[in-house]
Amino acid sequence: MAEQIAAYQVYLGAIRKGYNIAEKGLNTANDLKNGTFSLHDAYLTSLEQVSPAVKRDPKGRAIDSLYRQACSLFANEKQWQEKSQMLTASERRYFDKVSGSLLDKAKLDIDELVQVLTPGKLQLTDAERLSRLDKIYERVKDKYAFAGHFTAKCRKLALQRQAYKKDKAKMKELYGIQ
């Protein structure tokens, strides 16, 4: 029995040694995992930050400026059209519908711009943020160009009607028509 107890003591020592090795291995694996997790966490957190290079990109300010100019174009044209009274009621409603729709879409672009330039909103690399700025800029530039073209066409139509009205009045005056 003493031999069995001695053998059990040897086995117990081997088991303890095995448990210690396993415990150290698991702790090492846990430390490695936590270290990797910390690296991933740091990387993902860095993606939420907006670098100074992205903040200084002039396209951000240009996008905002183009949006404001498009709003101003529509507001000024609407005011002029209401004053001149050359467009019909249905044409004025169409003008309002087109301008409202375009400005709503441009507002979505501005909202996306805010997300791209605000830390913590999106997880993007600097290259992805700059790419997004380029795309937003192109969309807003296109909307601004359309706003300019559309308002110019509306103004031209109204001016043609004014000229026609003046010509008609002049002809009546010349020929004595009442």
Side-chain angles (χ1 to χ4, degrees), residues 156-173:
K156 184 177 179 181
L157 176 63
L159 290 173
Q160 286 173 342
R161 286 184 181 165
Q162 277 182 340
Y164 174 74
K165 193 175 178 181
K166 283 181 184 178
D167 289 346
K168 187 177 175 183
K170 188 70 166 173
M171 293 296 275
K172 284 182 177 182
E173 180 185 321

Side-chain angles (χ1 to χ4, degrees), residues 3-64:
E3 284 179 21
Q4 282 181 335
I5 292 175
Y8 285 139
Q9 292 286 336
V10 171
Y11 288 134
L12 184 60
I15 290 172
R16 280 187 183 147
K17 190 174 181 182
Y19 279 132
N20 286 338
I21 291 170
E23 183 180 17
K24 286 180 185 177
L26 289 173
N27 286 338
T28 302
N30 187 41
D31 291 344
L32 289 174
K33 178 188 69 100
N34 285 339
T36 302
F37 176 75
S38 296
L39 289 174
H40 288 301
D41 189 45
Y43 175 71
L44 293 174
T45 301
S46 75
L47 291 178
E48 292 180 349
Q49 302 307 311
V50 180
S51 74
V54 173
K55 286 181 182 179
R56 285 191 307 263
D57 191 298
K59 286 187 179 164
R61 280 189 222 84
I63 292 166
D64 185 55

Side-chain angles (χ1 to χ4, degrees), residues 33-135:
K33 178 188 69 100
N34 285 339
T36 302
F37 176 75
S38 296
L39 289 174
H40 288 301
D41 189 45
Y43 175 71
L44 293 174
T45 301
S46 75
L47 291 178
E48 292 180 349
Q49 302 307 311
V50 180
S51 74
V54 173
K55 286 181 182 179
R56 285 191 307 263
D57 191 298
K59 286 187 179 164
R61 280 189 222 84
I63 292 166
D64 185 55
S65 176
L66 287 172
Y67 171 72
R68 290 179 191 278
Q69 289 175 31
C71 290
S72 179
L73 275 174
F74 281 125
N76 291 339
E77 186 62 24
K78 182 176 181 167
Q79 184 179 14
W80 188 88
Q81 292 292 349
E82 287 175 356
K83 193 175 184 181
S84 72
Q85 293 293 313
M86 288 291 120
L87 295 181
T88 65
S90 65
E91 289 170 335
R92 284 194 305 272
R93 281 193 304 275
Y94 179 71
F95 177 86
D96 290 341
K97 184 178 177 182
V98 170
S99 64
S101 176
L102 185 91
L103 293 177
D104 287 345
K105 289 178 183 175
K107 179 69 172 114
L108 293 174
D109 291 328
I110 294 299
D111 292 344
E112 184 179 353
L113 173 68
V114 168
Q115 286 184 342
V116 168
L117 295 179
T118 303
K121 294 283 186 179
L122 300 172
Q123 289 184 338
L124 300 172
T125 63
D126 287 346
E128 291 170 329
R129 287 182 192 277
L130 291 172
S131 174
R132 281 263 186 99
L133 281 177
D134 290 341
K135 290 175 185 172

